[in-house]
Amino acid sequence: MIRLFTDAAYLTESHRRFVFPLLFHTWYKKDDALRGLYPLVDDPVEADVHVLPVSAEYYISTRSTEMDQFINRALSLRKDVWVYSSGDLGISFGNEVTVFRFGGFSSKIPSNTVILPAHTVDPYPLLDADFTTLEKEDSPKIAFTGNADAGVRKWVTEYYIQLFYAWHRLTKKLPSDRQPFFPSGIVRHRLLTGIQRDGRIKTDFVFRKTYRAGARTDEERRRTQLEFYHNMYGSPYTFCMRGNGNFSVRFYEALAMGRIPVLVDTDVRLPLESLIRWERHCVRVTAKNLIEELLDFHHRISPEAFRLMQEENRRLWLDKLCDIRFFHSVYTDFMTKQGQTPHHV
């Protein structure tokens, strides 16, 4: 087990949406299996890990000094410290602190950073369908539904987003790492239309000018979500590229569907790289050679391996990346790195 110490005063209903995801599952959701792996202890000396209870963004935006005090106390006791960074861009700390975050640039963030999979629900109950694999065809078929546009309005929007983050980072209202300007919706549109023009790859692309087609009501959100998953269901490959932050939510949705993500690599780090051989679960491509690299992969993979890859992707999401299961995987990874044998699952 990994004994955790935290500031339980923050584990209240008013802080619920800011809480470290592991504490959310053990404290609010009261998941017994996770509680057995990660028991909370009152004595900071007895703990293996000190967990900052709420996100780093919360402390910084509220001008609180408690985060620094908590981290410094833990380090003075020679304890591991886990910090949750909740924003799209994320916040970096020194090598002494393990940061759980959704993205970041692999070449810049510390090796002990833990990448969190973006939260996504199981799509099959929503589709009212069962998971099935798709057969390999002579030409690859790739799906995409989402925000991709290259119009003037989109350029203005992308610049506004960049200025928004810069201003809020400066005023510490929305703290985050700096990153170069990357107009994701425009780059996405350029790459996708390039695939369409080439003609060697079958495409099923639905371009939207706004996120979720501007859905405002529950019914509209449900409709656009169904369109999204139906589109993905019909193609073995799914185009995945970063958004505002350097990670792709669609990447995890494709795994949940049991499809094969085609990930445009923008110096991305994926979760649990010491446990998961990601080359078995996705096709990493460069923006410059996307088409040729996808064609090369598709022509080399056998029909049986093609089917098996889809099955293993679905299983990977269910067993290691889905919500609570991810922290079972973190437990295995932590214990293995400590030279101890994990006892669970």
Side-chain angles (χ1 to χ4, degrees), residues 243-309:
N244 291 330
N246 195 31
F247 66 97
S248 168
V249 177
R250 185 179 283 100
F251 178 84
Y252 302 102
E253 291 166 325
L255 293 173
M257 286 288 295
R259 297 301 179 243
I260 302 170
V262 177
L263 179 65
V264 179
D265 195 350
T266 51
D267 194 16
V268 174
R269 186 179 299 177
L270 296 175
L272 303 169
E273 290 191 339
S274 62
L275 291 180
I276 299 171
R277 295 182 61 180
W278 280 108
E279 69 274 11
R280 294 183 174 182
H281 299 282
C282 66
V283 186
R284 285 207 202 209
V285 297
T286 60
K288 183 178 180 180
N289 297 311
L290 187 162
I291 295 170
E292 298 301 332
E293 288 166 354
L294 175 56
L295 287 169
D296 179 65
F297 173 86
H298 186 74
H299 292 150
R300 283 187 294 105
I301 192 170
S302 70
E304 176 60 23
F306 189 74
R307 179 190 62 78
L308 187 61
M309 190 173 187

Side-chain angles (χ1 to χ4, degrees), residues 55-67:
S55 70
E57 288 83 356
Y58 175 86
Y59 291 99
I60 296 172
S61 63
T62 57
R63 315 286 183 178
S64 172
T65 61
E66 292 183 34
M67 177 174 68

Side-chain angles (χ1 to χ4, degrees), residues 47-294:
D48 301 302
V49 177
H50 286 215
V51 181
L52 195 70
V54 295
S55 70
E57 288 83 356
Y58 175 86
Y59 291 99
I60 296 172
S61 63
T62 57
R63 315 286 183 178
S64 172
T65 61
E66 292 183 34
M67 177 174 68
D68 291 338
Q69 294 169 5
F70 183 94
I71 292 173
N72 290 335
R73 280 196 301 267
L75 294 177
S76 71
L77 293 171
R78 299 177 182 241
K79 300 296 182 180
D80 287 315
V81 185
W82 289 359
V83 171
Y84 169 47
S85 179
S86 61
D88 277 358
L89 305 190
I91 301 175
S92 294
F93 287 74
N95 292 321
E96 295 176 309
V97 174
T98 298
V99 179
F100 287 67
R101 57 190 289 174
F102 296 102
F105 296 91
S106 188
S107 62
K108 296 181 180 179
I109 56 179
S111 60
N112 63 339
T113 301
V114 177
I115 298 299
L116 291 161
H119 173 71
T120 183
V121 298
D122 190 340
Y124 283 102
L126 178 69
L127 288 170
D128 194 23
D130 295 324
F131 164 65
T132 57
T133 60
L134 299 176
E135 297 299 318
K136 181 186 176 184
E137 299 179 356
D138 291 339
S139 298
K141 182 181 179 183
I142 188 168
F144 173 83
T145 297
N147 186 358
D149 183 22
V152 174
R153 185 175 180 180
K154 186 61 178 175
W155 275 105
V156 172
T157 300
E158 296 283 0
Y159 275 118
Y160 170 79
I161 291 171
Q162 181 78 358
L163 292 172
F164 172 87
Y165 277 110
W167 172 250
H168 284 78
R169 185 168 51 245
L170 181 66
T171 59
K172 298 189 183 300
K173 291 181 180 178
L174 190 65
S176 65
D177 288 351
R178 285 186 175 85
Q179 67 174 23
F181 175 58
F182 187 86
S184 57
I186 295 165
V187 175
R188 212 176 283 132
H189 185 271
R190 174 173 60 82
L191 295 178
L192 291 168
T193 54
I195 297 171
Q196 288 179 319
R197 285 194 300 269
D198 183 270
R200 288 177 289 170
I201 298 172
K202 297 177 183 178
T203 61
D204 186 5
F205 295 161
V206 180
F207 296 96
R208 292 173 173 170
K209 293 183 180 297
T210 56
Y211 176 67
R212 297 191 72 163
R216 296 181 180 274
T217 66
D218 288 343
E219 180 56 35
E220 288 174 342
R221 282 188 282 270
R222 175 178 170 78
R223 176 179 56 79
T224 57
Q225 191 174 30
L226 279 169
E227 289 173 356
F228 176 89
Y229 284 126
H230 274 300
N231 171 257
M232 195 179 290
Y233 187 71
S235 299
Y237 295 105
T238 298
F239 178 90
C240 303
M241 196 193 77
R242 61 161 290 186
N244 291 330
N246 195 31
F247 66 97
S248 168
V249 177
R250 185 179 283 100
F251 178 84
Y252 302 102
E253 291 166 325
L255 293 173
M257 286 288 295
R259 297 301 179 243
I260 302 170
V262 177
L263 179 65
V264 179
D265 195 350
T266 51
D267 194 16
V268 174
R269 186 179 299 177
L270 296 175
L272 303 169
E273 290 191 339
S274 62
L275 291 180
I276 299 171
R277 295 182 61 180
W278 280 108
E279 69 274 11
R280 294 183 174 182
H281 299 282
C282 66
V283 186
R284 285 207 202 209
V285 297
T286 60
K288 183 178 180 180
N289 297 311
L290 187 162
I291 295 170
E292 298 301 332
E293 288 166 354
L294 175 56

